[in-house]
Amino acid sequence: MSTHAYVVRVAEDPADREACFTVRKEVFVGEQGVPEDIEYDAYDAVAVHVLAVREDGVPLGTGRLLYGEAAAGKTGGDLTVGSLGRLAVTQAARGLGVGAALVRAVEDAARARGLVAVDLHAQTHALGFYERLGYMAYGPEFPDAGIPHRAMRRVL
Protein backbone atom coordinates (compact mmCIF):
# COMPACT_ATOMS: atom_id res chain seq x y z
CA MET A 1 0.00 0.00 0.00
CA SER A 2 1.34 3.37 -1.04
CA THR A 3 1.52 6.28 1.36
CA HIS A 4 2.10 8.78 -1.43
CA ALA A 5 -0.38 11.61 -1.89
CA TYR A 6 -2.15 12.00 -5.21
CA VAL A 7 -4.03 14.63 -7.17
CA VAL A 8 -6.96 14.24 -9.53
CA ARG A 9 -7.14 16.58 -12.49
CA VAL A 10 -8.62 16.92 -15.95
CA ALA A 11 -6.23 15.37 -18.47
CA GLU A 12 -5.39 18.40 -20.60
CA ASP A 13 -2.25 17.50 -22.53
CA PRO A 14 -1.15 14.52 -24.64
CA ALA A 15 1.03 13.11 -21.83
CA ASP A 16 -1.95 13.08 -19.44
CA ARG A 17 -4.14 11.40 -22.07
CA GLU A 18 -1.47 8.78 -22.65
CA ALA A 19 -1.32 8.13 -18.90
CA CYS A 20 -5.10 7.60 -18.91
CA PHE A 21 -4.79 5.08 -21.75
CA THR A 22 -1.94 3.29 -19.97
CA VAL A 23 -4.08 2.79 -16.86
CA ARG A 24 -7.01 1.56 -18.96
CA LYS A 25 -4.79 -0.90 -20.79
CA GLU A 26 -3.39 -2.25 -17.51
CA VAL A 27 -6.82 -2.67 -15.88
CA PHE A 28 -9.24 -3.48 -18.69
CA VAL A 29 -7.03 -5.21 -21.23
CA GLY A 30 -4.44 -6.74 -18.90
CA GLU A 31 -6.51 -7.67 -15.84
CA GLN A 32 -10.01 -8.12 -17.26
CA GLY A 33 -9.21 -9.42 -20.72
CA VAL A 34 -11.13 -6.75 -22.66
CA PRO A 35 -9.95 -6.84 -26.29
CA GLU A 36 -7.73 -3.83 -26.92
CA ASP A 37 -9.52 -3.01 -30.17
CA ILE A 38 -12.77 -2.30 -28.28
CA GLU A 39 -11.21 -0.59 -25.25
CA TYR A 40 -10.36 2.56 -27.19
CA ASP A 41 -13.04 4.22 -29.31
CA ALA A 42 -13.96 7.37 -31.19
CA TYR A 43 -15.42 8.86 -27.99
CA ASP A 44 -11.91 9.17 -26.53
CA ALA A 45 -11.32 12.15 -28.83
CA VAL A 46 -14.32 14.12 -27.50
CA ALA A 47 -14.50 12.95 -23.87
CA VAL A 48 -13.36 14.84 -20.79
CA HIS A 49 -10.74 12.55 -19.25
CA VAL A 50 -9.77 12.74 -15.58
CA LEU A 51 -6.53 11.39 -14.19
CA ALA A 52 -5.31 10.55 -10.70
CA VAL A 53 -1.54 10.93 -10.39
CA ARG A 54 0.69 10.20 -7.44
CA GLU A 55 2.94 13.04 -6.29
CA ASP A 56 5.91 11.32 -7.96
CA GLY A 57 4.08 11.27 -11.32
CA VAL A 58 2.87 7.65 -11.33
CA PRO A 59 -0.65 7.42 -12.81
CA LEU A 60 -3.11 5.71 -10.45
CA GLY A 61 -6.48 5.93 -12.15
CA THR A 62 -8.65 7.45 -14.82
CA GLY A 63 -12.22 7.97 -15.94
CA ARG A 64 -14.03 9.85 -18.67
CA LEU A 65 -17.17 11.93 -19.16
CA LEU A 66 -19.18 11.92 -22.34
CA TYR A 67 -21.75 14.69 -22.79
CA GLY A 68 -24.02 16.10 -25.45
CA GLU A 69 -24.48 14.01 -28.58
CA ALA A 70 -21.54 11.78 -27.59
CA ALA A 71 -23.47 10.64 -24.50
CA ALA A 72 -26.94 10.39 -26.07
CA GLY A 73 -26.66 6.70 -26.93
CA LYS A 74 -25.80 5.87 -23.34
CA THR A 75 -28.33 8.15 -21.61
CA GLY A 76 -31.51 7.39 -23.54
CA GLY A 77 -31.03 10.51 -25.66
CA ASP A 78 -31.23 12.91 -22.71
CA LEU A 79 -28.74 15.68 -23.46
CA THR A 80 -28.89 16.94 -19.85
CA VAL A 81 -27.29 13.69 -18.62
CA GLY A 82 -23.62 12.85 -18.92
CA SER A 83 -22.09 9.40 -19.15
CA LEU A 84 -19.27 8.33 -16.83
CA GLY A 85 -17.16 5.55 -18.26
CA ARG A 86 -13.80 3.84 -18.44
CA LEU A 87 -13.25 4.26 -14.69
CA ALA A 88 -10.10 2.33 -13.83
CA VAL A 89 -7.78 2.28 -10.83
CA THR A 90 -4.46 0.45 -10.85
CA GLN A 91 -4.18 -2.54 -8.57
CA ALA A 92 -1.55 -0.81 -6.43
CA ALA A 93 -3.86 2.18 -5.80
CA ARG A 94 -7.05 0.33 -4.87
CA GLY A 95 -8.39 1.07 -1.42
CA LEU A 96 -6.88 4.57 -1.30
CA GLY A 97 -10.03 6.47 -2.32
CA VAL A 98 -8.81 7.06 -5.87
CA GLY A 99 -11.94 5.64 -7.51
CA ALA A 100 -14.27 7.83 -5.47
CA ALA A 101 -12.12 10.90 -6.15
CA LEU A 102 -12.25 10.18 -9.90
CA VAL A 103 -16.05 9.79 -9.83
CA ARG A 104 -16.38 13.13 -8.02
CA ALA A 105 -14.05 14.78 -10.58
CA VAL A 106 -16.24 13.48 -13.43
CA GLU A 107 -19.33 14.79 -11.62
CA ASP A 108 -17.64 18.20 -11.21
CA ALA A 109 -16.89 18.24 -14.96
CA ALA A 110 -20.55 17.35 -15.64
CA ARG A 111 -21.81 20.16 -13.40
CA ALA A 112 -19.44 22.61 -15.12
CA ARG A 113 -21.15 21.70 -18.42
CA GLY A 114 -24.63 22.27 -17.00
CA LEU A 115 -25.60 18.60 -16.78
CA VAL A 116 -28.19 17.54 -14.21
CA ALA A 117 -27.27 13.86 -13.80
CA VAL A 118 -24.62 11.28 -14.62
CA ASP A 119 -25.29 7.77 -15.92
CA LEU A 120 -22.84 4.90 -16.00
CA HIS A 121 -22.68 1.23 -16.88
CA ALA A 122 -21.25 -0.51 -13.82
CA GLN A 123 -19.72 -3.95 -13.78
CA THR A 124 -22.05 -5.82 -11.42
CA HIS A 125 -19.26 -6.51 -8.92
CA ALA A 126 -18.87 -2.71 -8.54
CA LEU A 127 -22.54 -1.88 -7.87
CA GLY A 128 -21.93 -1.38 -4.14
CA PHE A 129 -19.08 1.06 -4.82
CA TYR A 130 -21.30 3.26 -6.97
CA GLU A 131 -24.28 2.92 -4.62
CA ARG A 132 -22.11 4.30 -1.80
CA LEU A 133 -21.46 7.32 -4.05
CA GLY A 134 -25.18 7.93 -4.56
CA TYR A 135 -25.86 6.05 -7.81
CA MET A 136 -29.06 4.02 -8.26
CA ALA A 137 -29.22 0.98 -10.55
CA TYR A 138 -32.00 0.73 -13.14
CA GLY A 139 -32.90 -1.66 -15.91
CA PRO A 140 -31.80 -5.25 -16.44
CA GLU A 141 -28.30 -6.69 -16.29
CA PHE A 142 -26.54 -6.76 -19.68
CA PRO A 143 -23.18 -7.91 -21.03
CA ASP A 144 -20.50 -5.45 -22.17
CA ALA A 145 -17.19 -6.89 -23.42
CA GLY A 146 -18.40 -10.20 -21.97
CA ILE A 147 -18.72 -8.72 -18.45
CA PRO A 148 -22.13 -8.34 -16.68
CA HIS A 149 -23.17 -4.69 -16.19
CA ARG A 150 -26.09 -2.61 -14.88
CA ALA A 151 -27.04 0.94 -15.79
CA MET A 152 -26.90 3.43 -12.90
CA ARG A 153 -27.69 7.14 -12.47
CA ARG A 154 -26.98 9.88 -9.96
CA VAL A 155 -28.81 13.19 -10.02
CA LEU A 156 -26.34 16.01 -9.38
Side-chain angles (χ1 to χ4, degrees):
M1 177 128 117
S2 171
T3 58
H4 293 279
Y6 62 89
V7 297
V8 176
R9 63 178 186 253
V10 172
E12 299 284 356
D13 61 41
D16 279 354
R17 290 262 179 130
E18 194 54 43
C20 292
F21 298 149
T22 298
V23 170
R24 285 169 47 185
K25 184 172 184 175
E26 177 183 329
V27 173
F28 295 127
V29 178
E31 288 181 36
Q32 298 183 355
V34 173
E36 194 165 357
D37 63 327
I38 66 169
E39 173 51 33
Y40 308 102
D41 60 27
Y43 296 119
D44 283 325
V46 297
V48 176
H49 297 268
V50 294
L51 175 65
V53 182
R54 208 166 62 187
E55 62 189 359
D56 61 0
V58 173
L60 302 177
T62 187
R64 75 178 186 186
L65 171 70
L66 300 179
Y67 61 96
E69 289 298 326
K74 297 176 183 292
T75 64
D78 189 340
L79 299 182
T80 67
V81 179
S83 177
L84 184 160
R86 303 303 202 268
L87 186 76
V89 176
T90 62
Q91 207 165 28
R94 292 179 194 151
L96 303 177
V98 173
L102 288 163
V103 170
R104 296 306 185 216
V106 167
E107 292 170 350
D108 289 346
R111 278 188 203 91
R113 285 157 180 80
L115 302 177
V116 299
V118 173
D119 273 13
L120 58 87
H121 293 165
Q123 293 181 9
T124 54
H125 72 83
L127 288 172
F129 166 77
Y130 290 111
E131 287 168 344
R132 286 187 296 279
L133 294 174
Y135 287 80
M136 301 276 298
Y138 66 90
E141 185 176 294
F142 61 92
D144 187 1
I147 301 167
H149 284 70
R150 291 276 313 275
M152 301 186 85
R153 176 173 287 186
R154 179 169 185 255
V155 175
L156 300 174

